């Protein structure tokens, strides 16, 4: 089981979706891809699970973590992507959505759906990332391009 059903543990799903403008150039540069994903993997602990799915979406499951650690990882991902884009003259749009166990859901499937809802919200509102808060059905932490907002946003999509 990825999630232990001990509700004192704190886990998170962070979904990352990228929209690469010059994808053909990147796909032909195998070393760039290999180097980027090696650097991305280095940002995470050995206990974290990293995966990918369709549509340039990547999932990071962080076990036994704090909300502050997840936000720091999101910022590190943004920094890595920004540096890579500058070095290789790339244009990439990034959106992330985050949900926490047990605060937002106690099953993996529901937790993933909450992270997807936060990701959709980030995409629809052109924000870098957002964290879902199921209790109040709203997003409690949103990062817009280059600045942080602590305002509370109502979630447009429902789980």
């Amino acid at each position: 089981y990825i999630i232990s059903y001990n509700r004192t543990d704190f886990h998170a799903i962070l979904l990352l979706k990228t929209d690469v403008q010059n994808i053909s150039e990147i796909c032909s540069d195998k070393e760039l891809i290999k180097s980027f994903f090696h650097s991305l993997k280095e940002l995470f602990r050995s206990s974290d699970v990293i995966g990918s799915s369709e549509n340039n979406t990547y999932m990071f499951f962080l076990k036994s973590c704090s909300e502050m650690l997840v936000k720091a990882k999101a910022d590190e991902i943004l920094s890595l992507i920004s540096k890579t884009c500058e070095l290789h003259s790339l244009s990439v749009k990034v959106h992330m959505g985050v949900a926490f166990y047990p605060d937002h859901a106690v099953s993996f499937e529901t937790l993933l759906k909450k992270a997807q809802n936060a990701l959709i919200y980030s995409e629809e509102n052109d924000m870098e990332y957002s964290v879902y808060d199921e209790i109040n059905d709203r997003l409690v932490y949103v990062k817009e391009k280059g600045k942080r907002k602590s305002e509370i946003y109502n979630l447009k999509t429902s789980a």
Side-chain angles (χ1 to χ4, degrees):
Y1 291 91
I2 289 180
I3 295 180
S4 66
Y5 289 96
N6 176 356
R7 293 196 183 181
T8 60
D9 289 342
F10 197 69
H11 308 298
I13 291 180
L14 186 152
L15 294 177
L16 165 69
K17 187 167 185 178
T18 58
D19 181 17
V20 183
Q21 303 302 319
N22 34 0
I23 190 76
S24 59
E25 290 176 36
I26 295 170
C27 289
S28 64
D29 190 344
K30 303 277 188 236
E31 282 304 310
L32 171 60
I33 294 170
K34 187 177 177 180
S35 172
F36 173 76
F37 281 105
H38 176 73
S39 297
L40 186 62
K41 187 178 176 185
E42 296 264 318
L43 296 178
F44 292 89
R45 305 165 300 175
S46 62
S47 62
D48 298 331
V49 179
I50 302 171
S52 65
S53 65
E54 71 279 345
N55 300 326
N56 296 324
T57 303
Y58 305 91
M59 183 190 79
F60 306 91
F61 184 80
L62 289 79
K63 295 181 178 182
S64 302
C65 63
S66 67
E67 190 171 340
M68 190 171 11
L69 173 69
V70 175
K71 289 176 184 174
K73 291 298 173 193
D75 285 336
E76 289 175 15
I77 291 169
L78 291 170
S79 178
L80 175 64
I81 291 171
S82 176
K83 287 176 187 172
T84 302
C85 287
E86 286 176 23
L87 277 171
H88 300 281
S89 301
L90 303 173
S91 178
V92 179
K93 276 192 168 190
V94 177
H95 303 286
M96 289 183 261
V98 180
F100 294 102
Y101 168 93
D103 292 357
H104 306 147
V106 294
S107 76
F108 180 81
E109 293 78 17
T110 306
L111 190 64
L112 180 58
K113 180 66 176 165
K114 302 297 183 183
Q116 288 169 334
N117 285 345
L119 176 62
I120 289 166
Y121 185 87
S122 292
E123 287 179 287
E124 288 177 350
N125 294 282
D126 198 28
M127 297 179 174
E128 290 177 332
Y129 64 87
S130 57
V131 176
Y132 186 78
D133 175 5
E134 181 177 12
I135 295 168
N136 299 302
D137 196 31
R138 62 187 180 190
L139 294 162
V140 294
Y141 182 85
V142 177
K143 181 166 183 185
E144 288 188 88
K145 296 176 182 174
K147 59 184 175 180
R148 292 183 185 199
K149 285 194 164 186
S150 58
E151 300 168 25
I152 293 176
Y153 294 82
N154 289 326
L155 188 62
K156 291 181 180 178
T157 58
S158 61

